[in-house]
C-alpha cells in the first residue's frame, strides 16, 4: 500500500534531516515493483480494464499518430536538419503528468497526445506496455548482450508539498515511479545534477545532461522523467567489407559521398505508390527497424501526409522478399524544448496560468497553482553494420503558476524516414528522419 501523504511528509522530513543528499532523496516506497492493473482511487474513471491486445493496439496506434505529428511539427521548424525523437518516452512522461490534470487541461492533453483510453484504464495499458517491453529485454547492460530494451520512470517532488495520495499511488502502481523528495527552493542546482545522473545511468551515459543548467529553479515543484535505452544486433548483420562510399542527395539537392552498408537477403518489403519500405529485424525478432524511402522528389509531400493509417497500410503490404538493401551508416543526436510544439499540437492550457493540475496536489493547501513549465527531450541513435543503439529521455517540469516475386533493389540515397517498433505491442519506440546523411556520419 502506498504511504499516506502524512506518512510521506513525515518520512521525507526525517530523511532530509539526515542530509543524505543535497538535491533529492528517495524513492519513498521500499517496493517499486507494484503489480499492474490494480484499482487505485483518485484518477477520474477508476475502471481499469485488463490491458489486452486490443487496448495495447489502440494505445500504440495513438502513440504513433502523436509521434508522427510531433516529428512533422519539429521538421517544419528545421526542414534541413536530421531529427530523432522517442514518441514513447514523451508520451509516458506526459501520461504521468496527465494523471494529475483536470478539466480543460486534461481534455486538451488527451486529444493532443492521442490517448485512446481515460483514467486508470489508460494508465493500466501504459503499465502493461511497460511490462511487455521489459519482458523483451535481453539482460544486463554490456556490449556483448545482443538485445537490450529498458524503460524507467521517476518523479521528483518538492519536499513538504501537499501531493495527493491518489496521484502518487497511480504513478507508483502503473509506472513504478516512486516519489523522490527534492528541495528545489534552495537546492535546485543539486537537484538538476541528481536527476541528470539518474538519466545518464539509465541511458548508458548516452544522455548526460537532459536538464541544462538553470533549467530548474525555486518555483519548480515537480519533475517527471522517463528514460528509454535500446541496443540490438541485426538478425542479419551487414558485412563491413561490403560498406562503400556512395553518393547521397540531401533535401537541398547537395550531394555527398557517405558510407553505405549493403546486403542481399530476404526481408519484409513493399512498394506502395512508388514508395519503398523495408523492415530490418533485430536479434529475437520482436523489434525491427522500418525504413521508408519515398518516391524520388516527393519526400516533403509524403512526410506531411504520413499518418498512422498510411503507416499501417505500408506495414500491412509488406511480405518477405529476396532483395538488396543499401543503407547509410548514420548517427543522429537531437535535443528539443517542446512546450511551443505541444501547445501548437493542441494542449496550450497545460502551459498557461489557467492550467488545472488539481489532481496532483491539494491546491488550497499549497496556496498556489501549477502549470507545465517545460518539456525537455533528448535522443540519440547510431546505426552501423552490427546493429542499432538508441536512447531517449524526457523530463516534464511542473512549476508554480506469400508468392515468389522478383528481387527488389532499394538504395537509400536520398532523404528517408525510419522508426523502431516493438512488434508484439506495435509500440513505436523511436522515430526519425535523415535528410542529410553527410551530417549524420559517425566518422
Amino acid at each position: 500500500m502506498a504511504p499516506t501523504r502524512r506518512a510521506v511528509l513525515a518520512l521525507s522530513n526525517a530523511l532530509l534531516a539526515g542530509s543524505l543528499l543535497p538535491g533529492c532523496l528517495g524513492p519513498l516506497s521500499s517496493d517499486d515493483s507494484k503489480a499492474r492493473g490494480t484499482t487505485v482511487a483518485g484518477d477520474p474513471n477508476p475502471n481499469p480494464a485488463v490491458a489486452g491486445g486490443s487496448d495495447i493496439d489502440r494505445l500504440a496506434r495513438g502513440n504513433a499518430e502523436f509521434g508522427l505529428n510531433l516529428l512533422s511539427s519539429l521538421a517544419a521548424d528545421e526542414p534541413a536538419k536530421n531529427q530523432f525523437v522517442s514518441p514513447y518516452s514523451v508520451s509516458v512522461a506526459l501520461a504521468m503528468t496527465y494523471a494529475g490534470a483536470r478539466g480543460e487541461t486534461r481534455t486538451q492533453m488527451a486529444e493532443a497526445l492521442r490517448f485512446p483510453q481515460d483514467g486508470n484504464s489508460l494508465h493500466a495499458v501504459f503499465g502493461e506496455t511497460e511490462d511487455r517491453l521489459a519482458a523483451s529485454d535481453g539482460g544486463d547492460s554490456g556490449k556483448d548482450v545482443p538485445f537490450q530494451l529498458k524503460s524507467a520512470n521517476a518523479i521528483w517532488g518538492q519536499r513538504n508539498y501537499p501531493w495527493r495520495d491518489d496521484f502518487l499511488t497511480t504513478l507508483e502502481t502503473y509506472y513504478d515511479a516512486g516519489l523522490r523528495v527534492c528541495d528545489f527552493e534552495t537546492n535546485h542546482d543539486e537537484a538538476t545534477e541528481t536527476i541528470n545522473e539518474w538519466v545518464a545511468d539509465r541511458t548508458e551515459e548516452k544522455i548526460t545532461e537532459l536538464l541544462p543548467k538553470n533549467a530548474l529553479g525555486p518555483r519548480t515543484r515537480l519533475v517527471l522523467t522517463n528514460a528509454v535505452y535500446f541496443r540490438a544486433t541485426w538478425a542479419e548483420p551487414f558485412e563491413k567489407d561490403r560498406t562503400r562510399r556512395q553518393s547521397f542527395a540531401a533535401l537541398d539537392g547537395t550531394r555527398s559521398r557517405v558510407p553505405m552498408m549493403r546486403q542481399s537477403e530476404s526481408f519484409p518489403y513493399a512498394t506502395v505508390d512508388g514508395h519503398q519500405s523495408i523492415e530490418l529485424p533485430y536479434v529475437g525478432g520482436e523489434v525491427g527497424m522500418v525504413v521508408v524511402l519515398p518516391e524520388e522528389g516527393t519526400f516533403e509531400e509524403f512526410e506531411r501526409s504520413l499518418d498512422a493509417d498510411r503507416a499501417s497500410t505500408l506495414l500491412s503490404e509488406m511480405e518477405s522478399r529476396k532483395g538488396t538493401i543499401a543503407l547509410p551508416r548514420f548517427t543522429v543526436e537531437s535535443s528539443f524544448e517542446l512546450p511551443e510544439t505541444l501547445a501548437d499540437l493542441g494542449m496550450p492550457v497545460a502551459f498557461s496560468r489557467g492550467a488545472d493540475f488539481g489532481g496532483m496536489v491539494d491546491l488550497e493547501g499549497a496556496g498556489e497553482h501549477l502549470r507545465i513549465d517545460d518539456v525537455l527531450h533528448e535522443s540519440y541513435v547510431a546505426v552501423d553494420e552490427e546493429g542499432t543503439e538508441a536512447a531517449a529521455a524526457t523530463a516534464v517540469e511542473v512549476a508554480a503558476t506469400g508468392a515468389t516475386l522478383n528481387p527488389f533493389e532499394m538504395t537509400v540515397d536520398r532523404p528517408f524516414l525510419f522508426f523502431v517498433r516493438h512488434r508484439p505491442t506495435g509500440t513505436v519506440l523511436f522515430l526519425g528522419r535523415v535528410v542529410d546523411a553527410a551530417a549524420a556520419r559517425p566518422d
Side-chain angles (χ1 to χ4, degrees), residues 373-422:
D373 192 57
D374 209 348
V375 179
L376 300 167
H377 182 72
E378 190 168 337
S379 53
Y380 165 93
V381 63
V383 175
D384 62 17
E385 289 87 350
E386 295 180 358
T388 302
E389 184 175 29
T394 306
V396 180
E397 180 192 352
V398 177
T401 272
T404 301
L405 299 170
N406 293 328
F408 65 84
E409 179 79 19
M410 181 175 174
T411 300
V412 186
D413 60 355
R414 54 184 184 272
F416 64 94
L417 303 169
F418 67 96
F419 57 94
V420 175
R421 64 166 181 158
H422 181 248

Side-chain angles (χ1 to χ4, degrees), residues 45-309:
N45 308 316
N47 181 31
V50 175
S54 61
D55 288 332
I56 287 182
D57 289 346
R58 290 170 58 208
L59 181 64
R61 183 181 182 84
N63 181 241
E65 189 72 54
F66 164 68
L68 291 168
N69 290 341
L70 178 63
L71 185 63
S72 178
S73 295
L74 295 171
D77 292 336
E78 297 181 287
K81 187 175 180 179
N82 302 322
Q83 290 165 331
F84 182 63
V85 297
S86 172
Y88 180 73
S89 177
V90 176
S91 290
V92 170
L94 286 170
M96 293 192 293
T97 313
Y98 170 79
R102 297 293 181 263
E104 184 65 16
T105 304
R106 184 181 185 83
T107 300
Q108 287 189 358
M109 290 183 73
E111 292 176 353
L113 297 166
R114 300 297 192 267
F115 288 157
Q117 298 94 3
D118 192 19
N120 286 342
S121 296
L122 173 73
H123 302 308
V125 183
F126 265 114
E128 179 67 15
T129 300
E130 290 264 281
D131 283 345
R132 293 182 66 174
L133 294 180
S136 296
D137 183 43
D140 295 332
S141 61
K143 292 188 176 182
D144 294 333
V145 178
F147 184 90
Q148 297 172 63
L149 175 56
K150 303 176 186 295
S151 176
N153 306 305
I155 57 173
W156 317 77
Q158 175 63 37
R159 70 170 180 174
N160 296 332
Y161 209 67
W163 302 112
R164 292 194 183 278
D165 298 339
D166 300 336
F167 174 67
L168 298 180
T169 302
T170 295
L171 299 196
E172 188 173 11
T173 300
Y174 298 114
Y175 300 93
D176 290 344
L179 178 67
R180 299 160 190 258
V181 178
C182 300
D183 186 2
F184 297 117
E185 293 182 339
T186 61
N187 285 316
H188 47 271
D189 289 338
E190 288 87 347
T192 298
E193 183 178 347
T194 299
I195 295 172
N196 281 339
E197 288 175 354
W198 181 91
V199 171
D201 181 63
R202 283 151 183 81
T203 60
E204 299 294 325
E205 304 297 323
K206 294 303 176 185
I207 298 173
T208 57
E209 294 186 2
L210 175 63
L211 299 178
K213 187 177 181 180
N214 299 323
L216 308 181
R219 297 188 66 81
T220 301
R221 297 294 177 263
L222 183 69
V223 178
L224 306 98
T225 52
N226 169 269
V228 180
Y229 179 77
F230 171 75
R231 183 184 180 93
T233 301
W234 301 119
E236 297 292 341
F238 291 80
E239 296 178 9
K240 290 185 178 182
D241 60 6
R242 294 192 65 184
T243 298
R244 296 285 187 275
R245 289 191 175 273
Q246 188 170 331
S247 178
F248 184 97
L251 191 60
D252 63 4
T254 60
R255 287 188 170 273
S256 303
R257 294 185 65 79
V258 303
M260 192 77 73
M261 307 180 296
R262 191 177 185 87
Q263 70 168 292
S264 299
E265 192 53 73
S266 292
F267 294 107
Y269 171 86
T271 300
V272 178
D273 299 328
H275 311 301
Q276 293 178 284
S277 58
I278 191 171
E279 181 162 21
L280 307 176
Y282 297 103
V283 167
E286 288 197 346
V287 179
M289 174 180 284
V290 177
V291 178
V292 181
L293 181 66
E295 186 176 17
E296 190 167 4
T298 70
F299 178 83
E300 292 172 292
E301 177 187 354
F302 179 89
E303 184 180 36
R304 285 192 300 268
S305 66
L306 185 61
D307 57 17
D309 288 336

